[in-house]
Amino acid sequence: MEYSEKVMEHFTNPHNVGKLDDADGVGEVGNAKCGDIMKMYLKIENDIITDVKFNTYGCASAIATSSIATDMIKGQPLSEALKLTNKAVVEALDGLPAVKIHCSVLAEQAIKAAVKDYYEKNGIEYNADEFKFDEDHHH
Amino acid sequence: MKVYADNAATTKISKKALDAMMPCFEITYGNPSSLHSVGQDAFHAVRDARNTIAECINADADDVYFSSGGSESDNWAIKGAAYLMAKKGKKHIISSKFEHHAVLHTLNVLEKEGFEITLLDVYENGLVKVEDVKNAIKDDTALVTIMYANNEIGTVQPIREIGAVCREKSVLFHTDAVQAVGHVPVDVKADNIDMMSFSGHKFHGPKGVGGLYCKKGIRLPNLIEGGAQEKNRRAGTENVPAIVGMAAALKDACNNMEENTKKLIAMREQLIEGILKIDLSRINGDREHRLPGNVSACFEGVEGESLLLYLDLMGISASSGSACTSGSLDPSHVLLSIGLPHEVAHGSLRLSLCEDNTPEEMEYILEKLPPIIDRLRDMSPLWEKIQKERTK
């Protein structure tokens, strides 16, 4: 098994690590039993993600995917952020080892969970089908 | 600073082993089966190596067979003994929950073939209870196979006592001694061992070579059919350089074992003491009955793979039993077998030392480790939860 340089770069110096005390949406996915938890904090103004931070407990690929996914949605409209797929995240990292692909799903799900939280807090209607995933069993 | 602390995975080849091997490539390169003098020189080199290894484990040289390593020896001994005893209607095998996969996966195959497998508990301290072995033996028990020392948590099993129980009940006893040979005194006669697997690269010998001790009278089925090598039981031209290197390495390890053990235990305890100062850390496995160079720890709220990769960036080579290093979703079966919850087992770190390590290197590890754990905990939602629980 080998990680790409890009993965190691994001793992060694992850971007957007931390919390946002005044976050408009917070999403957490994964669980301790599986060995990875990702928590995403979004600051949203006029449907644009103006700031994003994450906290992740997990392996190098979980941390690297958190880092690059937050980069990819920062400054983006919510509609674009919701389109982010784990495939795009993996491609942006120049690939992940086969056994690690499941870790990349977490980032996509954490973003969706945070946006869903924002919609619910603000009474915004949303299409539930867009947010269908099992929060406890991402594997 | 560069610190190699993953000696349970593999070791650097020793100068003595390398020096012993080199002439086998250039001078005694003959085939040991050839009758001319070049071949005979190689034959003598293999014979001498067998004698040396036999002496180191107190075996008769006739009972030492060379193989490609620990996994092959485990497969050979376990499958061989199973098929041998099945002919007598004995199809029950006793082992433990935290054996190496070379043993457990072999047992899985045998189970599918109709053998009955009992895996004994290893309790919180990572030790098999002799009583449990005794109680598990039935009339149709073919074999007991218990590892000498565990590869992850380093616990050394009561092999002599288990062997005695097997002798008393006339049951074959195999031990996977890959982590023990060259590290703790091993005496196949005093330890009541019938079959024992070992591997060259775990004690500063070359990779791809190992051996099986198989006591006279146990007619294991042949592993590889072909030429007459290894008394017809494992055909194929001997890997002369590797065999010679392994023997030189083992001799060196046994000659210096007492001195090395003292040094290793001092460094091990230095590490353990430092590690236990870290908040919510624990040492896995019995503190007394453990390999001199093994430190196995868990840090709550931290994932093992990230930990070991950050250590690597500091020049420290270690290993982890986290799920993410194994390619599966579950953390190591060894850590689960001693009752650790998944989330704790994910945060494991194994540091395995050899005599080339120094107390200064241990200091370096203890200097670099805590800030890495802090950094990972700072970004860990799990750690946040743990902290919230504690302040409740």
Side-chain angles (χ1 to χ4, degrees), chain A residues 32-43:
Chain A
K33 196 170 179 247
C34 294
D36 39 24
I37 303 175
M38 201 177 285
K39 200 168 179 179
M40 199 74 78
Y41 300 80
L42 302 179
K43 188 83 196 131

Side-chain angles (χ1 to χ4, degrees), chain B residues 167-337:
Chain B
R167 284 279 152 88
E168 189 193 313
K169 304 256 186 184
S170 303
V171 173
L172 286 178
F173 177 44
H174 165 258
T175 182
D176 170 356
V178 165
Q179 295 288 337
V181 169
H183 299 278
V184 293
V186 169
D187 179 328
V188 292
K189 286 177 186 155
D191 291 344
N192 305 305
I193 294 166
D194 294 323
M195 292 173 286
M196 181 177 83
S197 309
F198 55 94
S199 171
H201 73 107
K202 304 293 189 185
F203 47 77
H204 305 282
K207 293 166 184 61
V209 68
L212 178 69
Y213 162 76
C214 182
K215 196 165 156 264
K216 253 179 248 19
I218 303 169
R219 285 295 308 175
L220 286 187
N222 298 346
L223 182 67
I224 300 174
E225 303 297 344
Q229 294 89 353
E230 302 306 299
K231 291 196 283 175
N232 290 316
R233 294 197 192 176
R234 185 194 186 268
T237 300
E238 297 88 342
N239 186 351
V240 182
I243 288 168
V244 167
M246 172 166 71
L250 185 58
K251 190 178 175 187
D252 197 32
C254 292
N255 284 345
N256 298 305
M257 195 180 287
E258 218 177 291
E259 191 189 327
N260 289 344
T261 299
K262 271 187 212 152
K263 197 183 159 189
L264 285 168
I265 288 178
M267 289 192 286
R268 179 189 77 191
E269 295 305 309
Q270 183 188 352
L271 273 184
I272 288 178
E273 198 185 318
I275 283 171
L276 288 177
K277 284 182 188 154
I278 297 171
D279 193 19
L280 289 190
S281 63
R282 54 163 287 146
I283 296 295
N284 304 314
D286 195 84
R287 288 287 298 275
E288 193 189 334
H289 300 100
R290 76 186 296 133
L291 291 170
N294 174 288
V295 176
S296 168
C298 282
F299 305 96
E300 287 190 40
V302 170
E303 198 280 327
E305 189 203 79
S306 292
L307 177 57
L308 97 84
L309 287 173
Y310 276 143
L311 282 169
D312 186 46
L313 292 170
M314 295 292 156
I316 299 163
S317 307
S319 92
S320 171
S322 82
C324 272
T325 52
S326 64
S328 81
L329 299 175
D330 284 325
S332 114
H333 69 287
V334 174
L335 298 172
L336 297 180
S337 76

Side-chain angles (χ1 to χ4, degrees), chain B residues 128-202:
Chain B
V128 170
K129 283 188 183 160
V130 182
E131 271 306 299
D132 289 352
V133 177
K134 202 171 194 171
N135 294 335
I137 293 176
K138 307 190 292 182
D139 289 342
D140 68 337
T141 302
L143 172 74
V144 171
T145 173
I146 303 284
M147 69 200 323
Y148 209 115
N150 184 270
N151 49 310
E152 273 185 55
I153 60 172
T155 49
V156 179
Q157 306 305 313
I159 289 301
R160 189 166 294 188
E161 292 77 11
I162 294 170
V165 165
C166 293
R167 284 279 152 88
E168 189 193 313
K169 304 256 186 184
S170 303
V171 173
L172 286 178
F173 177 44
H174 165 258
T175 182
D176 170 356
V178 165
Q179 295 288 337
V181 169
H183 299 278
V184 293
V186 169
D187 179 328
V188 292
K189 286 177 186 155
D191 291 344
N192 305 305
I193 294 166
D194 294 323
M195 292 173 286
M196 181 177 83
S197 309
F198 55 94
S199 171
H201 73 107
K202 304 293 189 185

Side-chain angles (χ1 to χ4, degrees), chain B residues 38-60:
Chain B
V38 186
Q40 286 302 294
D41 286 346
F43 174 83
H44 292 144
V46 171
R47 181 198 59 195
D48 293 348
R50 203 184 306 274
N51 285 334
T52 301
I53 287 169
E55 247 175 70
C56 290
I57 59 172
N58 193 28
D60 295 336

Side-chain angles (χ1 to χ4, degrees), chain B residues 21-30 38 241:
Chain B
M21 287 172 79
M22 292 315 282
C24 303
F25 293 106
E26 293 182 319
I27 301 162
T28 43
Y29 57 82
V38 186

